[in-house]
Amino acid sequence: MSDRLKSMEAFVRVVEAGSFSAAARRWGCSKAVVSKYVASLEAHLGVALLARTTRSSSLTEAGRAYHRRCVDLLAEVEALEASLRDDHAEPRGLLRITA
């Protein structure tokens, strides 16, 4: 599942950056890694999310719908993780010290 979330994140980054190269630069990894994640996601789903040419890529109809849901899902995961981090950032509970 973790790889699927990474793949979704890569897909969203490509859409928002406008290209695989720009997404890779912003994410701090290679274009090949980003491409691998998106290709893996498309293979898992069995549908093309991006229509690619040698110079550009554009969202397919399925990609447009999937992108909207991915953005929401990734934001929800981030909020959940932030909530858990915040809940456990400070010690809580009763502390007893005896001397």
Side-chain angles (χ1 to χ4, degrees):
M1 183 69 159
S2 175
D3 281 348
R4 195 164 328 143
L5 286 175
K6 275 281 194 211
S7 296
M8 288 176 180
E9 185 178 2
F11 169 66
V12 167
R13 285 177 181 264
V14 168
V15 172
E16 291 175 354
S19 72
F20 284 84
S21 298
R25 278 192 305 275
R26 291 180 187 176
W27 206 7
C29 63
S30 72
K31 179 181 168 186
V33 168
V34 174
S35 182
K36 182 189 103 181
Y37 278 130
V38 174
S40 170
L41 183 61
E42 289 176 323
H44 172 75
L45 296 171
V47 64
L49 300 172
L50 295 165
R52 297 170 183 79
T53 65
T54 55
R55 296 204 170 262
S56 68
S57 62
S58 61
L59 283 170
T60 63
E61 199 59 40
R64 199 173 330 316
Y66 194 71
H67 176 259
R68 284 191 299 268
R69 299 293 301 270
C70 282
V71 169
D72 293 342
L73 178 68
L74 292 171
E76 187 65 30
V77 168
E78 182 59 38
L80 173 63
E81 290 175 347
S83 171
L84 285 172
R85 281 191 300 269
D86 292 346
D87 287 349
H88 293 90
E90 297 178 15
R92 294 177 189 221
L94 181 63
L95 176 63
R96 295 181 191 196
I97 301 174
T98 57

